[in-house]
């Protein structure tokens, strides 16, 4: 029995959960490993916008939060960017038919939850490898958020849910 437990432990990914607060992005999330940070400009139909990302990798799975900063608190632009992020992410798995569902995204303190969208899909990437994606999208003020798990093989549902459910707007 001990040998079986050791073999299974050696084959399972190691999750080292930690809560990270992003002051600039005004959110908190619990990552399964220490996240790295990156920033770049992303082209949208409305123009180029800055995007910051924190991401942690565990085996073949990437757990990430991306924050696009809008030039102003513009509901139309916020919705356009949310839609483009969703379509762009699903293009990674060549899955345009995935149907998003509404979810409520927590805010810190007594603030009411905000409506967001959740989507998950499996498919083949352009390099012919299978990909899994689960994501949530929400916008508030001058920020649009993409909370995503992207992997070649879906992590355990509990791990995906723990990451996605931990996201909180501050």
């Amino acid at each position: 029995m001990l040998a079986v437990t050791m073999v299974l432990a050696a084959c399972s990914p190691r999750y080292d959960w930690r809560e990270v607060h992003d002051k600039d992005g005004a959110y908190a999330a619990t990552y399964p490993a220490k996240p790295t940070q990156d920033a770049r400009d992303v082209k949208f139909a409305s123009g180029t916008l800055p995007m910051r990302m924190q991401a942690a990798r565990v085996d073949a799975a990437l757990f990430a939060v991306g924050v696009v900063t809008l030039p102003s608190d513009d509901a139309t632009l916020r919705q356009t960017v949310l839609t483009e992020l969703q379509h762009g992410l699903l293009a990674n798995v060549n899955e345009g038919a995935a149907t998003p569902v509404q979810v409520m995204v927590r805010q810190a303190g007594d603030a009411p939850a905000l409506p967001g969208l959740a989507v998950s899909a499996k498919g083949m990437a352009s390099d012919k490898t299978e990909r899994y994606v689960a994501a949530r999208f929400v916008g508030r003020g001058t920020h649009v958020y993409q909370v995503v798990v992207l992997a070649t093989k879906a992590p355990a549902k509990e791990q995906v849910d723990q990451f996605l459910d931990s996201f909180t707007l501050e």
Side-chain angles (χ1 to χ4, degrees):
M1 184 67 107
L2 180 61
V4 170
T5 303
M6 289 175 58
V7 168
L8 289 175
C11 295
S12 64
R14 297 200 177 165
Y15 292 90
D16 182 14
W17 294 98
R18 66 204 55 220
E19 185 174 54
V20 175
H21 296 265
D22 186 297
K23 186 183 244 183
D24 294 332
Y27 72 88
T30 303
Y31 290 89
K34 184 177 181 182
T36 59
Q37 295 191 29
D38 192 17
R40 62 186 166 112
D41 289 336
V42 178
K43 291 182 182 182
F44 293 95
S46 59
T48 301
L49 296 171
M51 181 176 194
R52 294 178 54 249
M53 183 171 286
Q54 284 190 339
R57 184 173 295 281
V58 175
D59 290 342
L62 182 72
F63 297 77
V65 176
V67 182
V68 176
T69 301
L70 307 177
S72 64
D73 185 354
D74 178 339
T76 302
L77 178 58
R78 194 169 42 248
Q79 185 56 52
T80 299
V81 170
L82 281 165
T83 300
E84 286 185 49
L85 284 173
Q86 178 187 318
H87 290 298
L89 186 64
L90 291 174
N92 285 321
V93 294
N94 289 318
E95 180 55 72
T99 305
V101 296
Q102 186 171 338
V103 293
M104 297 308 287
V105 177
R106 287 184 316 188
Q107 295 193 86
D110 294 333
L114 292 177
L117 292 176
V119 66
S120 63
K122 270 195 223 182
M124 289 292 186
S126 58
D127 65 0
K128 303 296 182 208
T129 59
E130 186 173 310
R131 295 265 200 269
Y132 163 83
V133 65
R136 293 192 182 164
F137 304 90
V138 66
R140 181 183 71 178
T142 59
H143 292 119
V144 175
Y145 301 89
Q146 173 180 272
V147 185
V148 63
V149 177
L150 183 62
T152 52
K153 180 181 176 192
K157 182 178 179 343
E158 298 82 28
Q159 308 300 339
V160 173
D161 289 347
Q162 181 169 344
F163 177 67
L164 296 176
D165 292 344
S166 76
F167 180 78
T168 304
L169 294 167
E170 295 188 323

